[in-house]
Amino acid sequence: MAGLSFRERIRRAFADGPPETELVAPRTAAIALILLDLELAPELLLIERATREGDPWSGHMALPGGHREPSDADLAATAERETLEEVGLDLQANGERVGRLSDCQPVRGVPIAVRPFVYLLRARPTLVLSAEVRRALWAPVAPLLGGAQATFTLSREGQRLQFPAWDLEGRLVWGLTYRVLDEFFRRFNRVSAQE
């Protein structure tokens, strides 16, 4: 990438992020968008959730994260704790939190609000997956910058709803995860266009 480094582009993209406010909802959660700052080909971490009865996101591609616990100091602590639990990555020790994205809710009508945080890593960590995670995937950032490449169809209450998606090794990234990544890429692309 000519001009600014990937790390500097990310920092600029989040220089004017939303202020830290309390997230008000019946249930709250946080997720971590983790970027690996490789000089030639930056990557991001996605997980494939394990198949579990009663889990509305069972088997889906996602970002590490989960529900806020009473012991979590704030939602960033939730994202960091959940990442450590799910993939064995200590973001406080190995990552740099550079900002956050807009709060969002899943399309399935689950009464939960989610706050995404963005972290940068300098080196590829060794991941240790919990029983909640089937697999982890480091996806190259460059092919995703242009937007959706596929469509996910959800059948709900007799309707077929279509959503933009990315196809990564035969697994679709859609819904909340897609929207979070799409907002990130829009911010990143704005900074890149200003060079």
Side-chain angles (χ1 to χ4, degrees):
M1 295 180 150
L4 294 175
S5 70
F6 179 73
R7 181 171 291 271
E8 283 307 311
R9 288 181 188 187
I10 298 302
R11 287 184 178 137
R12 285 191 183 191
F14 288 94
D16 62 347
E20 196 65 34
T21 59
E22 189 64 29
L23 184 57
V24 180
R27 291 170 37 205
T28 57
I31 55 179
L33 169 50
I34 302 165
L35 299 159
L36 183 56
D37 182 14
L38 300 176
E39 187 64 32
L40 297 177
E43 298 175 350
L44 62 89
L45 178 64
L46 290 163
I47 60 171
E48 181 181 352
R49 297 209 165 278
T51 304
R52 294 187 336 187
E53 190 67 36
D55 179 357
W57 300 284
S58 179
H60 288 219
M61 297 301 289
L63 298 168
H67 295 97
R68 184 175 185 175
E69 297 291 338
S71 59
D72 295 336
D74 54 25
L75 283 162
T78 300
E80 292 162 5
R81 176 185 52 75
E82 285 284 342
T83 299
L84 183 60
E85 290 174 5
E86 291 181 348
V87 298
L89 172 56
D90 185 343
L91 288 170
Q92 289 184 356
N94 300 301
E96 173 192 349
R97 183 172 50 152
V98 292
R100 71 178 181 87
L101 294 157
S102 301
D103 299 333
C104 49
Q105 294 184 306
V107 296
R108 291 189 178 196
V110 178
I112 189 168
V114 180
R115 178 163 290 167
F117 293 91
V118 180
Y119 294 85
L120 275 170
L121 304 180
R122 288 191 184 273
R124 187 182 307 278
T126 299
L127 302 178
V128 180
L129 307 184
S130 75
E132 295 178 39
V133 178
R134 180 181 296 152
R135 74 180 207 139
L137 169 70
W138 287 101
V141 168
L144 306 177
L145 288 172
Q149 305 161 334
T151 302
F152 177 83
T153 302
L154 174 67
S155 296
R156 183 174 170 186
E157 299 173 3
Q159 292 183 321
R160 289 172 50 89
L161 306 172
Q162 293 194 321
F163 298 92
W166 286 290
D167 186 333
L168 299 177
E169 299 180 11
R171 289 163 176 81
L172 292 181
V173 177
W174 72 284
L176 187 140
T177 303
Y178 179 91
R179 294 192 330 262
V180 167
L181 293 176
D182 185 59
E183 180 185 346
F184 166 74
F185 292 136
R186 281 186 280 118
R187 280 178 176 251
F188 182 80
N189 286 336
R190 273 196 302 270
V191 168
S192 298
Q194 293 170 359
E195 286 189 45

